[in-house]
Amino acid sequence: MLTKKGLKEFCADARENYLPHISIDCVVFGFHEGIMKVLVLKVQNEDEWYLPGGFMLKNEPIEKAANRILKERTTLDKIFLQQFHVFGDPERSKEHFDMYKDMLPAKENWFANRFLTIGYYALVDFFETSPNPDQFAESCQWRGLDDLPDFKLDHALILKTALDTLRLQLNYQPIGYNLMPKEFTMPELQKLYEAILDKKLDRRNFQRRMLGFGILTRSDEPRKGGAHKAPYLYSFDLENYEAALREGFKGGW
Amino acid sequence: MLTKKGLKEFCADARENYLPHISIDCVVFGFHEGIMKVLVLKVQNEDEWYLPGGFMLKNEPIEKAANRILKERTTLDKIFLQQFHVFGDPERSKEHFDMYKDMLPAKENWFANRFLTIGYYALVDFFETSPNPDQFAESCQWRGLDDLPDFKLDHALILKTALDTLRLQLNYQPIGYNLMPKEFTMPELQKLYEAILDKKLDRRNFQRRMLGFGILTRSDEPRKGGAHKAPYLYSFDLENYEAALREGFKGGW
DNA sequence: GCAAAAGTGTTGAGCATACACCCATGT
DNA sequence: ACATGGGTGTATGCTCAACACTTTTGC
């Protein structure tokens, strides 16, 4: 939560630069140790949790705004981003309104407005990401899907909707290029799918199916060093991958 | 196009009642004589075409606004509506801006604003719909997908995106309850699918597949009067239909 | 040599496709 | 009777799920 002075400064700045009534909230998915993780923000000195979000510059394309916001939170550029829904319940930002309503008169108070928020989800490489808190937050951190905090506002709904969309997407689009390192083994990729879908898949059928999509390249060198039989390393064939992204494929899990 | 007086009145009213920077545009699909039709508006005395759209009251949920707008255009209530995308290119409403920029100073000119538009598509019963023009339009009429006008703004993109979404939806959701009359024959339903997908389907396989979804009820009375063998009449089993809407089914066309 | 991880193969069920055939009705 | 639209049946092939077998590696 901001101090009165901080709020006043923020509002003056926001009114000048941002489109009113509109925000962007992002669900940033990463994959680490077999668990799907989401970037969450914790407010200073409070047990309050949010998804990373922000506002749109007056003359900025939506997707650019989402990219800019995420770059600030993750240091990542060129993130895979997908708009998935607009949340516009008139009461959805009431908590924010109540929190700040006594500090500034409504006319200059940015948070006295109703906000529609455009939901984006992002898929990022966990290891390339350096979470950065924003001016409202004390920390920005990864949380597993099995260990989510209680979100403020409608951010739990936003997260759930993003996850549902992602699961649906899995049925007709390749996923993984943005979530995996450059090279990976088939079992590692399978763990990603299992984490997203929250269910076990058959090792052998997964392999056949995945290879059938024709979006993977097997490198000559298997991964060494581990115990047991050395698995092959794969990477995505970007050309085919992107063709599949555009055209989609059939069938589901 | 509005007169200066009309514009001034509209803008004063809009500024008081509507959320700035945000509009809603709707792609209304109907089905008639084997062709998918879309509701389009024609501007008075100009060869300019738009999709039906409008603005959101300051305290109105998005979906309510879309419903209200469509009720005005179609006289229909309780329309099947699906939000599908937000279009937010900063230049997208430039045509509107240019058209009205000399009539009113930017400060009072509603159309001097940048607008994000939330795209909804609607599925309606062609025969229940009575198209009504709005204050900007001279006519509101159905046009077949094969006979679309050149749209202004980005409305061609909005329509295409809606159609793509609808086709995707066909893969995992039942469609038809909102587009067909209460009772219909299997060949009639097939024509709907063919019109949406723009390709021929096998009569017999379509029937088996459709019945396999378990969302149809066959009535005892076949349709009489026509030449040839009397086809059975079907209606949707609303309970199963809605369950299928929620849970989706697998496989595509 | 054994356990565990990973690669490859096989089989059977179910579903989609492409047909063939039968029934009803108006001309 | 026959053309046409419509309902039902069947053979083929493909895909997916389930499961068996083999290979590699560290202990």
Side-chain angles (χ1 to χ4, degrees), chain B residues 55-164:
Chain B
F55 304 102
M56 207 181 311
L57 297 172
K58 286 188 174 170
N59 208 35
E60 185 180 39
I62 311 180
E63 184 134 347
K64 275 243 172 67
N67 250 308
R68 173 178 52 75
I69 291 165
L70 282 187
K71 188 173 180 183
E72 290 165 7
R73 271 334 112 247
T74 63
T75 68
L76 293 176
D77 217 335
K78 293 187 191 161
I79 293 176
F80 176 87
L81 268 173
Q82 182 93 18
Q83 184 197 302
F84 65 93
H85 198 74
V86 184
F87 299 85
D89 188 288
E91 300 296 309
R92 62 172 291 281
S93 42
K94 195 166 183 311
E95 286 174 32
H96 261 164
F97 170 72
D98 287 343
M99 183 157 60
Y100 292 117
K101 68 165 185 271
D102 297 326
M103 285 198 195
L104 268 186
K107 244 191 135 153
E108 4 174 354
N109 191 338
W110 180 254
F111 297 105
N113 280 318
R114 169 187 178 187
F115 278 91
L116 308 192
T117 199
I118 304 176
Y120 274 84
Y121 72 80
L123 305 177
V124 306
D125 184 337
F126 183 89
F127 294 102
E128 299 284 317
T129 307
S130 316
N132 280 322
D134 63 20
Q135 61 197 305
F136 303 96
E138 152 191 318
S139 73
C140 179
Q141 57 189 261
W142 290 105
R143 292 287 284 262
L145 283 186
D146 52 352
D147 176 37
L148 294 171
D150 273 338
F151 288 106
K152 301 297 275 184
L153 303 180
D154 55 354
H155 286 198
L157 172 64
I158 294 176
L159 173 50
K160 183 186 178 307
T161 309
L163 191 57
D164 286 345

Side-chain angles (χ1 to χ4, degrees), chain B residues 201-239:
Chain B
L201 300 172
D202 184 279
R203 191 168 61 87
R204 297 146 282 192
N205 297 330
F206 178 83
Q207 176 132 344
R208 210 195 342 268
R209 176 117 173 237
M210 213 61 210
L211 290 175
F213 291 151
I215 56 172
L216 290 176
T217 315
R218 186 159 98 177
S219 51
D220 304 327
E221 294 298 309
R223 166 159 300 167
K224 294 167 186 171
H228 322 298
K229 175 164 182 173
Y232 290 107
L233 284 172
Y234 291 89
S235 56
F236 286 104
D237 177 325
L238 253 204
E239 200 171 321

Side-chain angles (χ1 to χ4, degrees), chain A residues 165-177:
Chain A
T165 309
L166 180 61
R167 283 177 180 158
L168 204 60
Q169 214 100 358
L170 225 50
N171 286 329
Y172 52 90
Q173 284 196 340
I175 296 276
Y177 176 68

Side-chain angles (χ1 to χ4, degrees), chain A residues 123-124 170 173-181 184 189 192-193 196 210 215 236 241:
Chain A
L123 305 177
V124 305
L170 225 50
Q173 284 196 340
I175 296 276
Y177 176 68
N178 319 276
L179 288 160
M180 302 294 287
F184 48 88
L189 184 60
L192 169 64
Y193 274 73
I196 294 176
M210 214 62 211
I215 56 172
F236 287 104
Y241 188 93

Side-chain angles (χ1 to χ4, degrees), chain A residues 21 114 116, chain B residues 14 17-23 55-60 110 115:
Chain A
H21 299 293
R114 169 187 177 186
L116 308 191
Chain B
N17 294 307
Y18 297 128
L19 273 186
H21 299 293
I22 297 164
S23 62
F55 304 102
M56 207 181 311
L57 297 172
K58 286 188 174 170
N59 208 35
E60 185 180 39
W110 180 254
F115 278 91

Side-chain angles (χ1 to χ4, degrees), chain B residues 6-17 104 108 110:
Chain B
L7 175 66
K8 196 162 183 173
E9 279 170 16
F10 176 82
C11 289
D13 178 62
R15 273 159 42 85
E16 184 177 331
N17 294 307
L104 268 186
E108 4 174 354
W110 180 254

